[in-house]
Amino acid sequence: MNSTPFLLALTLGAYLLGVWVKDKTKTKLSVIHPLLICVPVIMATLKLSGIPVSDYLEANRFITFFLGPCVVSLGLVLYDNMDLIRRNLLSILVAVVVGSIVGVASVWGLGKLLGLGDALILSMEPKSVTTPIAIELSRVNGGIVAITAVSVTICGMLGASIGPAILNIFRIKNPVARGVAMGCASHGIGTSRALEESAVEGAVSGLCIGLMGVATSLLMPVLNAWLLPLSD
Amino acid sequence: MQILIGLLILFLFLFLGDLTSAAIGQFIPGNVIGMIYLFLALCFRIVKPQWIRAVSDFFSKNMVIFFVPLFMSLLDEWNILRLDFWAWLAILALTTVLVMLSAGGVVELASKSKGGHGDE
């Protein structure tokens, strides 16, 4: 059972099942995410068959490897949105830097307030960044990669489902502003929701996935060097 | 062919990004640097968009599958998370709203202050 082809097929099969269920249940909120089906199916299969998680991870290194090229290909998304960037350059850049600082600092502040350990706080800090970048940031800065991956996904699903309603309450109406809000807070999952509202909103949101990745990569180590010693 | 050319370019840029990252002490992940290099190469017309379009579309449409295996290592890390589960969830919810409002608010205010058009 713990042969590489079987474990690779398990990943692909469970994921496709998740996509199929998502397509079948036509929900307006798009909170049904393929991962909600796929992850429990694989976990259950591993538990029931007694395959060690380490065997599964080893067999699936091939799949995880492709996260690197995935991130690099976002360079094309940035390029495709050049016009939009040029026209709103300053405000988008300021917004992304502010969003990135608020994201890291608020996790740190609330984490300390509730008495969480440093490893857990570091794992949560990159939660608004797209998963492949976030896990690298977590790894490089001393977080726990698996917790980061789940945290990022939860923030994505949360923002995608309640984000538009919250933006309405706070009267954020400008499509560029809404796109920035969705992309900065909820990366790819937020972007798919933003695309349902308008093309401009979706494009800006997609752009912010890349920008948030760059901004947080630069700011997270700096903020941590300054914040972490404060806690002692 | 299209796919192979695209993969070749992505691997090369990832390689360059990793080299740079190692040179600066892994301060920024190599994949992020690779992304910036690719963006610059596209801007300076060193790489043509159509060379990577097919692969790039495939990756952005199916990105989720590539981090599925990472979730499984949560089975090993569950003990760390279990103790602080509710605090963890509350922080994620609250900070997501904070990031959304602060980032969106900046652009909203900027657009109002210049009278509603999107130009500089």
Side-chain angles (χ1 to χ4, degrees), chain A residues 32 79 93 111 138 185-186:
Chain A
I32 297 289
Y79 176 77
L93 285 183
S138 173
S186 299

Side-chain angles (χ1 to χ4, degrees), chain A residues 38-211:
Chain A
C38 162
V39 170
V41 165
I42 300 176
M43 281 186 174
T45 309
L46 294 182
K47 280 277 177 205
L48 291 174
S49 60
I51 298 171
V53 177
S54 55
D55 285 10
Y56 172 82
L57 291 176
E58 180 64 29
N60 279 278
R61 271 171 61 180
F62 167 71
I63 289 182
T64 311
F65 165 78
F66 276 98
L67 283 173
C70 266
V71 174
V72 176
S73 74
L74 289 175
L76 183 64
V77 177
L78 291 182
Y79 176 77
D80 284 342
N81 292 297
M82 272 290 272
D83 271 356
L84 217 56
I85 307 179
R86 280 220 193 91
R87 267 182 284 130
N88 301 282
L89 186 66
L90 192 64
S91 61
I92 292 181
L93 285 183
V94 172
V96 168
V97 170
V98 168
S100 183
I101 293 174
V102 168
V104 173
S106 62
V107 165
W108 183 85
L110 287 168
K112 283 292 165 199
L113 199 69
L114 296 173
L116 301 187
D118 282 354
L120 188 52
I121 291 178
L122 286 169
S123 311
M124 292 166 73
E125 280 183 356
K127 48 133 202 126
S128 291
V129 180
T130 187
T131 313
I133 298 179
I135 57 163
E136 273 301 292
L137 286 175
S138 173
R139 197 176 57 78
V140 171
N141 290 284
I144 300 155
V145 168
I147 294 179
T148 303
V150 183
S151 304
V152 170
T153 309
I154 289 176
C155 289
M157 292 198 254
L158 205 72
S161 46
I162 61 166
I166 290 188
L167 292 172
N168 287 341
I169 293 170
F170 284 85
R171 297 185 190 287
I172 294 175
K173 302 259 190 244
N174 180 305
V176 176
R178 290 175 74 93
V180 166
M182 295 296 279
C184 285
S186 299
H187 48 93
I189 307 176
T191 299
S192 61
R193 181 75 173 91
L195 272 170
E196 290 169 13
E197 300 214 322
S198 75
V200 173
E201 200 176 316
V204 176
S205 184
L207 163 70
C208 287
I209 299 175
L211 294 178

Side-chain angles (χ1 to χ4, degrees), chain A residues 15 56-57 63 72-73 79-80 86-88 95 106 116 127 135 140 151 153-155 158 173-174 181 218, chain B residues 26 28 38 45 53 56 65-66 69-72 77 84 88 91 93 95-96 99-100 103 108 111 118 120:
Chain A
Y15 176 69
Y56 172 82
L57 291 176
I63 289 182
V72 176
S73 74
Y79 176 77
D80 284 342
R86 280 220 193 91
R87 267 182 284 130
N88 301 282
S106 62
L116 301 187
K127 48 133 202 126
I135 57 163
V140 171
S151 304
T153 309
I154 289 176
C155 289
L158 205 72
K173 302 259 190 244
N174 180 305
L218 292 168
Chain B
Q26 296 214 320
I28 309 172
L38 179 64
R45 317 232 175 273
R53 179 79 60 196
S56 197
I65 180 89
F66 299 108
L70 292 171
F71 281 81
M72 300 317 138
E77 315 285 4
D84 299 308
W88 172 70
I91 292 174
T95 57
T96 298
V99 171
M100 190 171 273
E108 181 76 14
S111 73
E120 287 172 72

Side-chain angles (χ1 to χ4, degrees), chain B residues 20-53:
Chain B
T20 313
S21 177
I24 58 169
Q26 296 214 320
F27 181 59
I28 309 172
N31 52 19
V32 177
I33 301 176
M35 171 179 83
I36 298 168
Y37 283 167
L38 179 64
F39 171 68
L40 293 175
L42 286 162
C43 291
F44 291 110
R45 317 232 175 273
I46 300 165
V47 170
K48 287 189 178 153
Q50 64 263 34
W51 293 347
I52 50 168
R53 179 79 60 196

